[in-house]
Amino acid sequence: MAVEGGMKCVKYLLFFFNFIFWLCGLALIVLGVLVQVAVHNTPVIKDAAGSAAPLVLIVIGVVIFFIAFFGCCGAWKENYCMVTMFAVLLSIIIVAEIATAIAAYVFRDKLTGLVDAGLKDMIQQYNNTEYKKGLDQIQKELKCCGAANATDWVKYKPDGLSVPDSCCKNITLNCGLKAMNDTSKIYTNGCQSALENLLKANTLWIAVAALVIAFIEILGLVFACTLMRGIRSGYEVM
């Protein structure tokens, strides 16, 4: 009876876990979408690998909905095959999430080079409508000018002293003309460090979320394996 009671307790714990698991899946999808939008709204990042981590999280979140089905039904009906399928799929997801956390952390170390090269390329091609719009948005929102500093715009105009209007503290038409050295008029600090910190914060959240959810899932895997053993031993169900 004690064993039977223990197995029933595990059964309900696994069922409850799958509800939490479903919520984790939803959280992964939302987090992945938010970070993916942030990365793709940043024209500086051209490297496809740079946005791989949030994409993986979105895919994992969607897959979790299907895995939770096996877990819930298997636990409620005490179906050995379904619980086994749940355990196998959950193991794969755990490995994928740990890999995602590692990839996100590694990507953080590559941000400096990517951001620096991306910003300088955008400055050189500023007349391109797409680049202009993206870089103006970055400079306005992060209150910065150029990559390292405002002098990166030395070739922007023939006078060598003008910067885009988006560098201005109070943006008005032609406010950036011959204002490169006017600290009261424009932001002179570069966008690289500000943008790098923003992207690092996003990728750090990916790594932390993936590891925390993977830990929760490991508990679910333990419950599933315990229930599998109980079902296989053929304990009496009251």
Side-chain angles (χ1 to χ4, degrees):
M1 293 295 293
V3 173
E4 179 184 329
M7 287 299 100
K8 281 189 172 295
C9 181
V10 170
K11 166 185 171 179
Y12 293 126
L13 281 174
L14 183 58
F15 186 82
F16 175 74
F17 163 80
N18 276 282
F19 175 72
I20 302 299
F21 190 42
W22 181 84
L23 293 179
C24 287
L26 182 61
L28 282 174
I29 293 173
V30 172
L31 180 64
V33 168
L34 290 176
V35 177
Q36 185 71 1
V37 169
V39 170
H40 277 276
N41 282 343
T42 307
V44 173
I45 304 300
K46 294 181 179 180
D47 188 352
S51 58
L55 281 176
V56 171
L57 285 186
I58 293 172
V59 172
I60 289 175
V62 172
V63 172
I64 278 177
F65 281 87
F66 295 97
I67 296 179
F69 169 78
F70 287 103
C72 286
C73 293
W76 190 255
K77 296 183 178 180
E78 299 179 9
N79 185 294
Y80 181 80
C81 290
M82 295 189 78
V83 175
T84 301
M85 179 64 71
F86 168 76
V88 171
L89 293 175
L90 187 57
S91 299
I92 295 173
I93 289 297
I94 291 172
V95 172
E97 286 175 350
I98 293 176
T100 299
I102 294 173
Y105 183 80
V106 170
F107 176 62
R108 290 180 76 244
D109 294 334
K110 296 180 179 180
L111 278 176
T112 300
L114 287 173
V115 171
D116 182 57
L119 282 172
K120 289 180 178 178
D121 185 54
M122 291 176 73
I123 290 173
Q124 291 177 0
Q125 302 185 54
Y126 185 71
N127 290 329
N128 181 306
T129 303
E130 180 183 351
Y131 285 96
K132 184 179 186 300
K133 181 180 179 181
L135 192 49
D136 282 343
Q137 180 182 351
I138 291 172
Q139 293 188 146
K140 288 176 184 177
E141 293 185 358
L142 299 183
K143 303 183 187 305
C144 56
C145 187
N149 50 57
T151 59
D152 289 323
W153 290 106
V154 68
K155 295 181 180 180
Y156 174 58
K157 295 286 186 181
D159 57 36
L161 294 173
S162 297
V163 296
D165 292 345
S166 56
C167 286
C168 297
K169 295 179 179 179
N170 295 306
I171 299 176
T172 56
L173 184 62
N174 296 323
C175 63
L177 288 177
K178 297 183 179 181
M180 182 178 292
N181 299 315
D182 190 346
T183 57
S184 64
K185 197 171 184 180
I186 69 166
Y187 297 105
T188 55
N189 56 299
C191 298
Q192 178 180 327
S193 58
L195 186 57
E196 190 177 323
N197 290 335
L198 177 63
L199 293 174
K200 278 186 176 181
N202 285 331
T203 52
L204 179 61
W205 276 112
I206 292 179
V208 171
L211 288 176
V212 169
I213 294 175
F215 175 75
I216 295 174
E217 291 167 350
I218 288 173
L219 294 178
L221 184 60
V222 172
F223 294 148
C225 291
T226 303
L227 183 58
M228 285 165 55
R229 185 173 60 181
I231 295 173
R232 192 168 186 177
S233 66
Y235 72 90
E236 182 181 358
V237 180
M238 297 298 291

